[in-house]
Amino acid sequence: MATAFGNLVMAIRGIGSNWLRTLLTMLGVLIGVASVIVLLAIGTGSSQSIEKSIESLGSNTLTVFSGSSSGSTTGTKIRNSTLNTASVTALSNSFNDPDVKSVSPVVTTSVTATYNGASYSTSVIGSTASYLSAENYTVSAGRSISRADVAERAPVIDIGTSVASALFATGADPLGKQIQLGSSEFTVVGLLASKGSSGLSNQDAVAIAPYTAVQDQLTGESASFSELLVQGKSSATLSLAESEVESTLASLNDTTVANLPFTVIDSASLLSTATSSSQTFTALLGWVAAVSLLVGAIGVMNIMLVTVTERTREIGIRKAIGARRRVILTQFLIESTVISFLGGIFGVLAGILVSHFKIDGVTPVLASYSIPLALGVAISVGIVAGFYPAHRAASLRPIDALRYE
Amino acid sequence: MIIRDEVDAPDDEVIGSRAAEPIIALKGIVKSYAMGGVEVLAIRGISLIVERGEFVAIMGTSGSGKSTLMNIVGCLDVPTSGHYRLDGVNIRHLDDVALSRIRNKKIGFVFQGFNLIPRMSAIHNVELPMAYSGVKPAERRKRAVVALEMVGLGDRLSHFSSELSGGQQQRVAIARAMCTNPSLILADEPTGNLDSRSSAELMSLFTSLHDQGRTIVMITHEPDIAAYASRVVVLRDGEIVSNRPQDASNAVSYELAPSGRYSFGGSGDEG
Ligand SMILES: Nc1ncnc2c1ncn2[C@@H]1O[C@H](COP(=O)(O)OP(=O)(O)OP(=O)(O)O)[C@@H](O)[C@H]1O
Ligand SMILES: [Mg+2]
């Protein structure tokens, strides 16, 4: 009887007898496998970048907003419920607030920055030098805005890499150049090192100037700040710092901590909220990947079923000239295994290749489990879907297989 | 030789020939198809004996059941009722493996519609039955080349069936049918799609196979093709209406090379 090797030769001849059909079948497997791998890589990549960008926000900071979270300020005697220089001075007192490292007032606005015809819309943060360290920004060239700049209300600015690359030609040195923000001119004194973009926002599309200058030139003179950024001495003492900030602000405003007209949020709780939402996102992408794996598997099944069923007559001929059922089954099993396997391998390669490109601003990160998962499902589905119709055809009487249309 | 019931015939006995028995023995064969609740009787009780070395032509109007009968004789189909002994073996209770061996070793089938495997070269088509019977590749190739040369296709070995004419495809099918040296050759309208010259060439091929002692059963509509046979069986509505021997020498002779030109001698001698 025919040997195993003879079977293999026959199966390969069967595969080779219709290259187009074979290639199309392989393509079906390939696309199924590659799409699952890429989709899971996008999911992993974006959830990783969300986590990274949240970490880069700074892990031991408190943000103080105007407005009460409890909403029960009515009726209390509030002399001063805005965040102003007095609040900054009070919070900077190291006797009352021993666990606070720095307090930075924050004024934000959005403007269109222009230079030599190039323009870019960016958010401008007016603050002090301590803002940069609290938010984990570092200066890669030039200098940071200084205490003196704030005091002198100097129109100087540190710009992020996205702003720099949008306004200046590559190779040009932005330091010392005057850029136009709205109707005012600011001198670039420093470049911020890139923090990378996240799925949420581009942290390099930012410009930081002294808050005094921002108030003078952009937002208009005002006694209040939109928020205060408080940096704690360490993450361990952040909750101590939080209660110190609350009681200082309460006594400054002649009220109790319970009726404080401000909201204090710590970055750790922000982190945990964001982490849990990114986990939800990953789980969602997992479902999408599972559905696409299912769709891919159905595609593989469909194309295998069609191609093998199409060959029912061929199976009838083979039976009529003396092929045993087992020989036919072995041939088709080898054929569908080889096709699914080659398609699967090329699918993995294609998936890995595509995952090297940025897709919609997300850098995909290969999930190691996705490769055996996609390959395993595609190959087993391909084999079963190829084997089943071959088995059905081989079990027919030769005459019925021959008559099949 | 003791003739037993063949229910549990082992392989050797299935394949082993019993010279004492006719090669085909049909008794009360009935084949019916259920067509939408109505039973269609394609064959209504046929009994027929074909002895070793006979050349039988089967004739009859379209739809008279010729192909149905041929498919049963060739073990491609099973009768609804009746007994069929092929070479002394009752085929009713044989399993897939045993039937495959019979189709492979004892029968060479030439179909009306050629039934070559598409997108496979002529030589690979001819090699296929030998591959299934376990002939070594080198030997297989040699015998396939000989068979194809014998049917005049020595220069078309690697052509696909789609690249061959109808007559050439039918000759590939005949080469495929005879390369395993079957004792029985079944042909369903082998000349149905051929012109008279190709038909005559084909018939001298069959005549020489017959001269070598092979049994041939052939369906045809053409009386001058049937004239090559030593016996003509006529069917009508699934029954035999005429079964008479004839003198094969009254066959119309075309201007052809002597039939001895086509000789097919066993395993792999050069043609
Ligand atoms: N698979 C089938 N299902 C139902 N009826 C069938 C089937 N095969 C054959 N028949 C019927 O059986 C009868 C005999 O058919 P068969 O093919 O044997 O005729 P035939 O003598 O070979 O005709 P032709 O000369 O046209 O080839 C016909 O009436 C046909 O309709
Ligand atoms: Mg017919």
Side-chain angles (χ1 to χ4, degrees):
Chain A
M1 271 290 115
T3 58
F5 180 73
N7 273 333
L8 190 69
V9 170
M10 213 180 290
I12 287 168
R13 192 172 292 155
I15 291 170
S17 70
N18 191 341
W19 278 111
L20 185 64
R21 185 179 61 201
T22 307
L23 285 179
L24 284 177
T25 314
M26 278 193 204
L27 198 66
V29 184
L30 187 152
I31 290 171
V33 169
S35 65
V36 169
I37 290 175
V38 170
L39 215 61
L40 284 173
I42 291 174
T44 316
S46 56
S47 77
Q48 276 189 11
S49 85
I50 288 171
E51 276 163 30
K52 217 168 79 190
S53 74
I54 287 164
E55 276 163 22
S56 72
L57 288 176
S59 53
N60 47 349
T61 55
L62 301 170
T63 308
V64 184
F65 299 98
S66 315
S68 163
S69 55
S70 59
S72 60
T73 51
T74 41
T76 46
K77 191 179 69 171
I78 300 169
R79 199 176 51 196
N80 186 355
S81 62
T82 56
L83 296 166
N84 50 24
T85 32
S87 330
V88 176
T89 315
L91 292 172
S92 303
N93 181 331
S94 61
F95 181 77
N96 287 331
D97 303 86
D99 295 303
V100 171
K101 188 175 163 196
S102 71
V103 182
S104 321
V106 179
V107 179
T108 52
T109 183
S110 278
V111 295
T112 302
T114 51
Y115 178 79
N116 250 356
S119 72
Y120 185 74
S121 99
T122 179
S123 64
V124 175
I125 293 166
S127 192
T128 57
S130 57
Y131 178 87
L132 278 79
S133 59
E135 286 283 33
N136 279 348
Y137 279 108
T138 52
V139 174
S140 63
R143 63 175 181 83
S144 147
I145 54 170
S146 67
R147 189 183 282 270
D149 293 331
V150 175
E152 289 162 17
R153 316 182 86 83
V156 294
I157 199 159
D158 289 325
I159 57 175
T161 50
S162 297
V163 181
S165 61
L167 295 184
F168 297 95
T170 39
D173 183 11
L175 292 181
K177 302 288 187 322
Q178 304 269 320
I179 62 171
Q180 195 82 25
L181 295 183
S183 56
S184 318
E185 283 196 330
F186 279 72
T187 307
V188 178
V189 292
L191 283 177
L192 299 171
S194 174
K195 281 173 67 166
S197 76
S198 71
L200 296 174
S201 64
N202 181 357
Q203 299 189 80
D204 294 326
V206 75
I208 302 170
Y211 73 90
T212 47
V214 172
Q215 284 178 333
D216 285 354
Q217 317 269 353
L218 300 173
T219 62
E221 188 66 53
S222 160
S224 66
F225 306 120
S226 48
E227 62 183 68
L228 299 182
L229 185 71
V230 177
Q231 189 179 17
K233 287 210 165 119
S234 73
S235 56
T237 58
L238 198 63
S239 56
L240 280 177
E242 187 173 347
S243 50
E244 289 161 13
V245 166
E246 283 170 348
S247 59
T248 304
L249 287 175
S251 65
L252 188 68
N253 291 286
D254 280 343
T255 181
T256 58
V257 168
N259 291 324
L260 198 65
F262 305 112
T263 307
V264 182
I265 288 173
D266 71 293
S267 56
S269 73
L270 202 64
L271 182 69
S272 74
T273 322
T275 305
S276 80
S277 73
S278 106
Q279 275 164 355
T280 314
F281 179 63
T282 312
L284 198 73
L285 269 165
W287 276 107
V288 174
V291 169
S292 80
L293 190 63
L294 186 73
V295 170
I298 289 171
V300 170
M301 204 185 288
N302 179 48
I303 204 152
M304 276 288 184
L305 274 170
V306 168
T307 51
V308 178
T309 307
E310 204 181 50
R311 292 168 73 188
T312 302
R313 235 175 94 80
E314 179 190 325
I315 290 174
I317 299 172
R318 287 173 185 273
K319 287 205 79 171
I321 59 173
R324 287 192 298 160
R325 182 164 50 213
R326 222 187 61 203
V327 173
I328 291 172
L329 289 185
T330 313
Q331 180 198 334
F332 277 84
L333 192 64
I334 293 172
E335 271 193 42
S336 49
T337 308
V338 169
I339 288 174
S340 316
F341 207 80
L342 285 181
I345 295 289
F346 285 121
V348 168
L349 293 181
I352 292 175
L353 195 76
V354 173
S355 301
H356 275 94
F357 296 102
K358 239 182 171 180
I359 299 158
D360 266 344
V362 177
T363 311
V365 175
L366 275 179
S368 54
Y369 67 90
S370 68
I371 292 172
L373 178 76
L375 205 57
V377 170
I379 289 176
S380 42
V381 166
I383 290 173
V384 170
F387 188 76
Y388 166 69
H391 176 79
R392 206 179 43 186
S395 305
L396 289 175
R397 276 182 210 145
I399 194 66
D400 294 329
L402 278 171
R403 283 225 187 88
Y404 189 89
E405 284 303 332
Chain B
M1 184 178 289
I2 302 155
I3 298 162
R4 301 172 301 162
D5 199 344
E6 304 292 346
V7 176
D8 296 309
D11 254 13
D12 287 346
E13 286 196 45
V14 170
I15 294 307
S17 164
R18 288 135 199 251
E21 286 210 25
I23 186 147
I24 297 170
L26 299 167
K27 200 174 150 210
I29 296 290
V30 172
K31 180 71 186 179
S32 64
Y33 295 104
M35 294 291 288
V38 186
E39 214 182 32
V40 176
L41 275 177
I43 292 182
R44 30 185 109 211
I46 283 184
S47 298
L48 180 68
I49 302 278
V50 176
E51 297 292 346
R52 258 160 241 288
E54 271 197 286
F55 186 167
V56 177
I58 296 179
M59 299 187 76
T61 51
S62 185
S64 56
K66 305 182 297 292
S67 296
T68 307
L69 180 67
M70 191 69 109
N71 292 333
I72 291 170
V73 170
C75 300
L76 301 178
D77 206 352
V78 290
T80 310
S81 68
H83 295 280
Y84 173 29
R85 295 175 79 85
L86 172 65
D87 216 1
V89 177
N90 184 346
I91 58 111
R92 175 169 285 274
H93 305 289
L94 296 183
D95 62 3
D96 180 73
V97 176
L99 283 175
S100 301
R101 291 202 76 184
I102 285 179
R103 287 194 287 262
N104 186 248
K105 291 200 191 296
K106 282 197 179 173
I107 301 170
F109 218 115
V110 180
F111 299 91
Q112 187 172 357
F114 317 136
N115 276 343
L116 298 178
I117 294 182
R119 298 186 199 82
M120 207 187 243
S121 64
I123 183 120
H124 282 144
N125 263 292
V126 176
E127 276 187 48
L128 208 53
M130 292 187 280
Y132 287 137
S133 63
V135 178
K136 295 271 174 298
E139 168 76 4
R140 223 194 275 167
R141 167 128 320 207
K142 215 167 78 182
R143 276 164 67 173
V145 170
V146 169
L148 280 167
E149 275 170 354
M150 220 182 306
V151 298
L153 289 175
D155 55 344
R156 296 280 194 281
L157 298 182
S158 48
H159 282 57
F160 291 131
S161 37
S162 54
E163 299 165 347
L164 295 172
S165 73
Q168 288 168 334
Q169 288 185 53
Q170 192 62 298
R171 281 185 278 164
V172 173
I174 289 169
R176 181 177 68 183
M178 62 192 206
C179 68
T180 49
N181 266 327
S183 45
L184 178 61
I185 290 178
L186 304 176
D188 190 348
E189 294 188 49
T191 60
N193 295 308
L194 306 183
D195 64 15
S196 57
R197 182 173 175 87
S198 312
S199 300
E201 280 177 5
L202 206 76
M203 288 323 295
S204 59
L205 204 60
F206 275 124
T207 308
S208 65
L209 287 168
H210 179 223
D211 290 345
Q212 289 162 34
R214 261 169 265 264
T215 313
I216 297 174
V217 178
M218 177 184 70
I219 294 174
T220 185
H221 278 296
E222 300 155 72
D224 53 340
I225 296 296
Y228 286 89
S230 55
R231 188 146 61 105
V232 178
V233 173
V234 182
L235 299 190
R236 189 187 300 145
D237 291 337
E239 281 170 318
I240 295 179
V241 292
S242 152
N243 180 358
R244 59 183 170 80
Q246 65 174 9
D247 185 359
S249 64
N250 62 12
V252 185
S253 90
Y254 291 84
E255 283 171 38
L256 276 177
S259 62
R261 179 184 131 197
Y262 303 111
S263 71
F264 186 67
S267 51
D269 51 357
E270 298 304 323

